[in-house]
Structure formats: structure tokens, C-alpha cells
Amino acid sequence: MKKFKALAWSGLYIGISLGMQMVLSVIMVIAGTEILIVNGLAGNRDAYVEMMNQVKDYLTQGSGVLFITALLDIMLVVVFGLWYYFRENRYPFRPNYKKAFSKDHILSIVVLAVCGQLATEILIMGVSAVFPWMMKSYEKYNDLFQLDTAPPVLMLLLICVIGPIGEEILFRGMVYAKLRRAFSIWPAAIISGLLFGIYHMNWIQGIYASLAGIVFAIVYEKTQTIWGSCLLHMLFNGCTYVLEYGVTPLLPEGSVVVSSVHILVDVISVIVVILVVKHLCSRRREG
């Protein structure tokens, strides 16, 4: 019964988040309708259809997707941040920030962020080689955001600060913490990781987000504070942006040597991530 309640509460948290997305979309549609009314075009069917198509295009392309994502992330921070804050004393963690952000933890988090992002690349290559259709879907998904057309400062604020804080409060502060009261560490981390992957609604991103979610949960468990997993998530997303738009364009295309070194570095990164997670888990047992 205790496990079922934990799962039900986790589902409720995520359901509320998805509900927020639907509410934002409805608000955009209502706003479009209000514009028609103000302009005296409410009874014009052609004008209504054209406006709705414009709203649909806006919600599913570039700036519209970024706008909705930013609003949703802010709502996650506010709604679940307040919920988490006022219920924090009921959760199992009592953070000691000096221990939480010791040199060992900071180094582990930085290494996990950098190597985790590199490890993600080889995971994407492997999945796309076996399931090419997943890669096509993933590329279409990325094209929606058009990250390269947005101001760098705005994108870094969204993907490296607001987004990670919102998602960590929801999935580690709320979902994982609730599961942790009914399950041991690994089952709670795996379930919350899978839910985190499903939440992204894209096969490839869902796969690596699930694995990343498990690692985020381990860091949350180890540091005993939401800020530990927030820091890792921020750095992980930051590495994504830097590698994709800062490093990759500088590499020569079609070079066998560069490609070989790239794959080797990615493989080593996978091994490093496994070793660091193992290190954190062993330190947990010692504590």
C-alpha cells in the first residue's frame, strides 16, 4: 500500500505538470480568439481558421516552443518550488551544505556533467544506428526549438538555470523523494528516471534522460539536497550547449582521425561515469 501511494503521488505530480502545459496551450488559443473579437472578426470563419492555424504554428515552432517551455519551467519552479519548500521538513533529507558540496562532491558532479554529456553522444549514435527512425524523430524535435537562433544569454538562462531547477524540484525533490519513502535507493532512482525520460516525449531524448535521471537521483541522494542534482543538471545542459554550438562547429568534417578520437573519448566517458557513480554509491554505504 505504501509503494502504491508513492507511485500514485508521483503520477499526480507529473499529471499536474502536464496539466500546466495544456492550460498554457488553451490560454494561447483563447488569446487568439480574443484578438479576433477585438478586431471584429469573431464571426468570420476564414479569419478564425487562419488565426487558429497561426496559433498552432506558433505553438509548434521555434520561438513559440521556447516561449511555452520558458513559461512552463517558471511555473514548475514557482508551483512545485513552494510545494517542496513548505513540505521539505517531511522529506527524508536534512542537508548539511558543507558536506553536500565538499571538494569530492563538486569534482564528482563536474566530471559527471562533462563525461555524461560525452557519453550521451555515443548512446545517441548507437540508438540511431539500430533505430534510424528514432534519430529522424529526434532531429525534428530539436528543430522545433531552433536553439541556434535565440540569443545565447537567453538560451543559457532557460536550459542551464530555469529548466534544470524546475525539473529537479519536480522529479528529484517531489517524485524521487516521495518514492524514496517507500522504496530503496535504486528502485526509487530507476522509477523516477524512467518517468523523467517519458516526460520528455521523445524516444532518443527519453532514453538518455532516463539514464541521466537515475544519476541525478544518486547525486541528490548523496548530497542530501536538491541543489546537488540541480548543479549537475545545470552543468550537464551547459555542456550540451557548449559542445553543440561551440566545439562541434570547430571540428573538421569527414576526418577519420577526428571521428575516431571522438568515439574513443565518448567510450572513455561512459567508463568514467560508471566509475564515478560507483564511487558515490560506495561512499553512501560507508556513510
Side-chain angles (χ1 to χ4, degrees):
M1 186 63 182
K2 188 176 181 181
K3 293 180 179 179
F4 175 78
K5 287 179 63 177
L7 291 170
W9 273 103
S10 298
L12 175 62
Y13 297 148
I14 297 172
I16 291 174
S17 174
L18 295 176
M20 291 179 183
Q21 295 184 37
M22 294 181 63
V23 169
L24 287 175
S25 298
V26 170
I27 289 174
M28 296 299 294
V29 173
I30 293 175
T33 304
E34 287 297 319
I35 292 174
L36 290 175
I37 295 174
V38 170
N39 289 278
L41 299 173
N44 189 324
R45 183 178 182 280
D46 292 337
Y48 179 80
V49 171
E50 182 180 355
M51 176 61 75
M52 289 303 100
N53 286 334
Q54 290 178 2
V55 172
K56 179 182 177 182
D57 290 341
Y58 181 77
L59 293 175
T60 57
Q61 294 180 10
S63 58
V65 175
L66 290 175
F67 178 69
I68 293 296
T69 301
L71 283 181
L72 177 62
D73 287 337
I74 292 172
M75 289 176 68
L76 286 178
V77 172
V78 174
V79 175
F80 287 106
L82 290 173
W83 193 342
Y84 177 74
Y85 177 80
F86 286 109
R87 291 173 57 89
E88 185 175 6
N89 61 344
R90 296 182 60 186
Y91 284 85
F93 299 151
R94 297 291 184 276
N96 180 322
Y97 291 106
K98 185 176 181 180
K99 291 183 178 179
F101 295 105
S102 63
K103 292 181 180 179
D104 177 66
H105 287 169
I106 292 296
L107 179 60
S108 296
I109 288 172
V110 172
V111 171
L112 282 174
V114 177
C115 293
Q117 184 51 235
L118 293 171
T120 297
E121 293 183 354
I122 198 168
L123 175 64
I124 293 175
M125 286 190 289
V127 173
S128 62
V130 180
F131 304 104
W133 60 271
M134 287 189 183
M135 191 60 189
K136 292 180 181 179
S137 174
Y138 179 63
E139 290 173 345
K140 289 181 180 179
Y141 178 83
N142 284 339
D143 289 341
L144 291 177
F145 287 88
Q146 300 176 1
L147 301 184
D148 54 338
T149 62
V153 174
L154 178 62
M155 284 313 308
L156 288 174
L157 179 64
L158 177 59
I159 69 174
C160 299
V161 180
I162 301 175
I165 291 176
E167 291 181 349
E168 287 310 304
I169 291 174
L170 173 58
F171 283 95
R172 256 57 66 181
M174 304 293 289
V175 173
Y176 175 77
K178 180 65 72 173
L179 292 170
R180 186 65 179 86
R181 298 194 326 194
F183 297 87
S184 58
I185 297 174
W186 280 103
I190 291 171
I191 294 172
S192 64
L194 290 173
L195 292 174
F196 184 54
I198 294 171
Y199 183 79
H200 284 77
M201 298 182 185
N202 176 276
W203 278 103
I204 288 185
Q205 193 176 20
I207 292 172
Y208 74 70
S210 294
L211 296 174
I214 294 173
V215 177
F216 293 159
I218 295 300
V219 170
Y220 176 44
E221 178 79 33
K222 178 59 183 177
T223 59
Q224 301 282 281
T225 170
I226 194 68
W227 294 112
S229 59
C230 277
L231 177 60
L232 174 56
H233 200 154
M234 290 175 180
L235 293 175
F236 181 85
N237 284 10
C239 288
T240 302
Y241 191 85
V242 171
L243 288 173
E244 186 167 354
Y245 298 106
V247 177
T248 301
L250 300 178
L251 299 177
E253 297 183 4
S255 172
V256 177
V257 175
V258 172
S259 298
S260 299
V261 171
H262 191 177
I263 293 174
L264 178 61
V265 170
D266 290 348
V267 171
I268 293 174
S269 296
V270 173
I271 297 172
V272 171
V273 168
I274 294 173
L275 291 176
V276 174
V277 170
K278 184 178 179 181
H279 166 71
L280 289 175
C281 291
S282 66
R283 289 292 298 272
R284 171 63 185 171
R285 287 195 296 268
E286 290 171 8

